[in-house]
Amino acid sequence: MSCLWDTRLLVGVSTVGLSLTALWWWRSQKGSIANIKLTYLDIKGIAEPIRLTFAVGGIDFDDHRVSYKHVSQMRTTGTLPYGQVPILQVGDQIYSQSTAILRWAGIKAGLYPFECQPLIDGVEECLADIKKFLIPQWYKNALARSPVTGDLFTGTTLSAEQQHAVLNALNDVILPEKFAQLERVLQRSGGSYFCGEKMSICDLSFYSLASGILLGDYCDGLDPATLADCPRLLELTKTVANHPRVAAWNTTVQLR
């Protein structure tokens, strides 16, 4: 009886696995996606991996860029589900949260394959950890903007001494260690990308961060030398930059 039960269980698990794979394949088909509108500030920021995913996937979208004042107005009118940008509008439906939007875009673009999901998500969460560490450097404040007003909290502003300490910690300890971790993950992949020889959304996310640090336009004060001991990550950054659709996107944005 136990063997029969085990067999049925295995068949059931196998069937579920096949069903999930089929569902993932069905969701990844581009089909006809009408009226995709991505709204974010007129900076790269956390929306750039989403823009690049659409570009690499050959998916048309409205790259709608707004001012901080416009974001404040949208917050007041209740347009922002979680009080912040980016938001993605598909037809009449509005979605929010950058990682959720990125995964959706990745599925549609074929850059978030089911079999690589845990690896991709692991890299994405490591990058999210890095961005959390960057909050005090971005805002010169212990906290990010208020979800109610969008303003910075005056009582948590960092002193000049604290700002100096934050920057030293980022450049001397945090970023070198986090990049070393990602370097090892990339090495274990055995390929040019985090998932081997196939580009995915996490490669685009890393590229957006690393290229910004190397160019000095991602977050003020970050030292490009934090990537100096990571040759594979530096090569990955070049590989993504040289992708024809990434290069075309970057050229188009620069010409605006």
Side-chain angles (χ1 to χ4, degrees):
M1 179 65 72
S2 60
C3 292
L4 178 60
W5 169 251
D6 289 344
T7 302
R8 289 176 176 176
L9 178 60
L10 288 172
V11 170
V13 170
S14 177
T15 302
V16 170
L18 289 172
S19 298
L20 287 173
T21 302
L23 174 61
W24 198 264
W25 177 88
W26 177 80
R27 291 174 64 193
S28 69
Q29 303 310 294
K30 295 178 185 177
S32 177
I33 311 174
N35 302 323
I36 297 180
K37 180 179 180 181
L38 178 67
T39 299
Y40 190 63
L41 300 165
D42 191 17
I43 59 174
K44 292 181 179 179
I46 58 176
E48 193 66 6
I50 303 169
R51 294 169 178 147
L52 288 171
T53 297
F54 283 137
V56 172
I59 298 174
D60 292 332
F61 73 106
D62 179 6
D63 182 21
H64 185 52
R65 304 193 180 210
V66 297
S67 65
Y68 282 102
K69 181 179 180 180
H70 192 179
V71 172
S72 180
Q73 293 171 345
M74 295 169 71
R75 187 180 294 112
T76 301
T77 58
T79 306
L80 307 177
Y82 299 104
Q84 58 192 6
V85 288
I87 58 171
L88 182 74
Q89 184 170 352
V90 183
D92 296 329
Q93 186 67 48
I94 293 178
Y95 304 98
S96 189
Q97 300 292 44
S98 59
T99 304
I101 296 172
L102 177 62
R103 287 171 176 152
W104 183 89
I107 291 171
K108 295 300 180 183
L111 296 173
Y112 187 41
F114 179 79
E115 66 275 10
C116 294
Q117 179 185 344
L119 178 57
I120 294 172
D121 288 351
V123 174
E124 287 290 345
E125 289 187 24
C126 180
L127 296 172
D129 289 341
I130 292 174
K131 292 169 189 174
K132 289 177 184 176
F133 280 121
L134 294 181
I135 287 176
Q137 182 63 17
W138 264 321
Y139 298 113
K140 307 300 187 284
N141 198 299
L143 297 173
R145 295 181 181 275
S146 165
V148 178
T149 65
D151 297 329
L152 292 173
F153 295 97
T154 56
T156 54
T157 301
L158 301 181
S159 66
E161 182 179 356
Q162 289 171 325
Q163 291 178 34
H164 182 71
V166 165
L167 188 56
N168 283 345
L170 287 170
N171 285 330
D172 296 344
V173 180
I174 296 170
L175 291 181
E177 174 58 23
K178 299 307 288 185
F179 288 144
Q181 293 170 2
L182 289 169
E183 176 83 357
R184 291 191 290 270
V185 172
L186 181 56
Q187 180 180 9
R188 287 195 295 270
S189 78
S192 302
Y193 302 103
F194 284 112
C195 292
E197 294 302 331
K198 180 176 177 57
M199 179 186 285
S200 68
I201 57 173
C202 65
D203 299 298
L204 296 174
S205 292
F206 174 76
Y207 164 76
S208 297
L209 170 66
S211 61
I213 292 176
L214 293 171
L215 292 172
D217 62 5
Y218 189 84
C219 181
D220 183 46
L222 301 187
D223 189 350
T226 55
L227 281 157
D229 293 331
C230 302
R232 291 176 179 80
L233 293 182
L234 289 171
E235 188 61 30
L236 170 61
T237 305
K238 292 179 183 178
T239 299
V240 174
N242 290 330
H243 187 285
R245 289 186 176 176
V246 173
W249 171 259
N250 289 336
T251 300
T252 300
V253 172
Q254 290 170 3
L255 293 176
R256 289 181 177 178

